[in-house]
Structure formats: C-alpha cells, structure tokens
Amino acid sequence: LPFFNPPSSTPLKTVLLGLQNSGKSTFLSPQTLHPPTLRPSTSTLQIGRRTFTTIDLGGQKNLRHIWKDYTPKSSIIIFIIDITTYSTSLPSLKNEFTQITNTFEGPIAVCYNKIDLMTSSPSIEEYKKMLIDDEEDDEDIKFFFTSGLKGEGVKDVFEWLGEKCDEGLE
Ligand SMILES: Nc1nc2c(ncn2[C@@H]2O[C@H](COP(=O)(O)OP(=O)(O)OP(=O)(O)O)[C@@H](O)[C@H]2O)c(=O)[nH]1
Ligand SMILES: [Mg+2]
C-alpha cells in the first residue's frame, strides 16, 4: 500500500510551560473552561499523522519549581506567553525562559498567545528581541502568534514541532 501513511508510532512527548493565566490549558482544549492548573495533567493529541502526548503544568509562581522535573522527560516544549501582559511579566518570563533554554536540547515553540485580543498587529521580531538577548538565531526556537481560544496558529505550532522531531530522527 504505497500511499498508506501510517500514524507516527512514537508519541511526541510535549510539555506546556508558561506563567499562570497565559492560556496553556485552553491551548490544548479550547472547549473547556479551565480553573488554574494545580497538578500536572496529561492528554493525547492527534494532529495529522502525529501523536503528541502533552503535559500541562501549573504556571503559578509556587508551582513552577516542578517544571524542571518534566523538561528532561520531554522532547518538545511549548512556551505560552500572554501577549496582553507581556511588558509587565517580561522580567519573570526572561528568568524562566533562560532557565529552560540553558538546559533543554529539543525544539521550543514560543507562542505569543491571546492574539485575538490585540488591536494592533505587532511584529514578532520586536517581541522576540525583548525576550532573548543574544543575537544568534537558534534553529530550535520558533516564535508564533496564537489564539488558543480561537484555535489560531495552533496547527502551525504542532506542524513545526512535528517536522523538527522528524529532522532529529534523520
Ligand atoms: N482571549 C483569549 N483568552 C484566552 C486565550 N487562551 C486562554 N484564554 C483565557 O485566559 C484564562 C487563562 O487560561 P488557562 O488556559 O487556564 O491558562 P493557564 O496558562 O493554563 O493557567 P495556569 O493553569 O494557572 O497556569 C482563561 O480565562 C482563558 O479563557 C486566548 O487565546 N484568547
Ligand atoms: Mg492551566
């Protein structure tokens, strides 16, 4: 059956990180109202032929210490940022993001989320510059504008991540 494209056999282990209220739980399941996440929650997503097993973690300050227990077990990080509070949360964001990039090897999708609430159309380069100091482009980090609530950009995120993982297998 030459045209039969079987589902990727290995589920891609994905962890969602980001400050509280950034939209992690909604990103994974937009139909549900989510209370703040208190303990890790695992689910499975089928996107095209790929299967992602996702771990949704709490983003409140006192819960962030467990992030480091999950990143080594994951092949992918989705880092969600609430674009509407970006400037005020930038110091904590930088701190958390630097800790992640210093230790994690795989692909990271940075999602500027809740784009549906923006009236202007911002430039992704400007946003990126505020988060990352070094000038070098890292091929394993990509920036997206998303609305988890409306499902905008979400598919692009998973497609890029899936492709990155395929590259890693070559
Ligand atoms: N307008 C808009 N609201 C969103 C979007 N994503 C999430 N929200 C809202 O933001 C709030 C927080 O969403 P959650 O998904 O619970 O955020 P979280 O990152 O999981 O929060 P913690 O579990 O506390 O870390 C909820 O009121 C969501 O409805 C989005 O893309 N657009
Ligand atoms: Mg949550």
Side-chain angles (χ1 to χ4, degrees):
L1 284 166
F3 301 112
F4 177 64
N5 214 353
S8 275
S9 48
T10 341
L12 303 172
K13 289 188 181 175
T14 306
V15 65
L16 274 88
L17 303 176
L19 306 186
Q20 70 283 358
N21 203 51
S22 55
K24 298 178 292 300
S25 304
T26 307
F27 195 87
L28 294 174
S29 95
Q31 316 291 6
T32 319
L33 275 179
H34 299 276
T37 305
L38 298 181
R39 59 184 74 82
S41 140
T42 308
S43 53
T44 305
L45 267 179
Q46 185 75 41
I47 312 252
R49 65 190 175 85
R50 295 191 187 94
T51 310
F52 295 83
T53 49
T54 56
I55 303 173
D56 180 23
L57 299 181
Q60 294 176 66
K61 196 170 201 301
N62 64 323
L63 301 176
R64 289 178 212 156
H65 64 94
I66 69 159
W67 291 5
K68 65 176 183 327
D69 302 335
Y70 287 86
T71 47
K73 298 182 221 159
S74 308
S75 335
I76 289 169
I77 291 176
I78 299 180
F79 191 78
I80 307 275
I81 294 171
D82 181 344
I83 197 169
T84 66
T85 57
Y86 189 48
S87 351
T88 46
S89 59
L90 202 52
S92 341
L93 277 174
K94 271 188 156 176
N95 175 37
E96 299 298 344
F97 192 68
T98 309
Q99 287 186 47
I100 293 166
T101 50
N102 283 345
T103 52
F104 187 72
E105 298 275 314
I108 305 175
V110 178
C111 302
Y112 291 108
N113 194 40
K114 308 195 185 181
I115 191 73
D116 58 290
L117 297 177
M118 296 295 280
T119 45
S120 61
S121 32
S123 125
I124 211 133
E125 281 301 316
E126 293 298 314
Y127 276 71
K128 178 184 155 181
K129 257 189 259 165
M130 288 188 250
L131 186 66
I132 298 189
D133 295 322
D134 78 68
E135 293 288 305
E136 255 177 81
D137 259 334
D138 186 333
E139 286 187 352
D140 286 330
I141 305 176
K142 188 166 168 143
F143 296 79
F144 297 87
F145 286 131
T146 58
S147 167
L149 192 65
K150 311 268 180 198
E152 282 168 39
V154 174
K155 201 166 152 251
D156 297 342
V157 169
F158 283 102
E159 271 171 12
W160 178 75
L161 289 167
E163 280 163 21
K164 275 312 233 189
C165 289
D166 288 350
E167 277 175 26
L169 298 174
E170 274 166 17

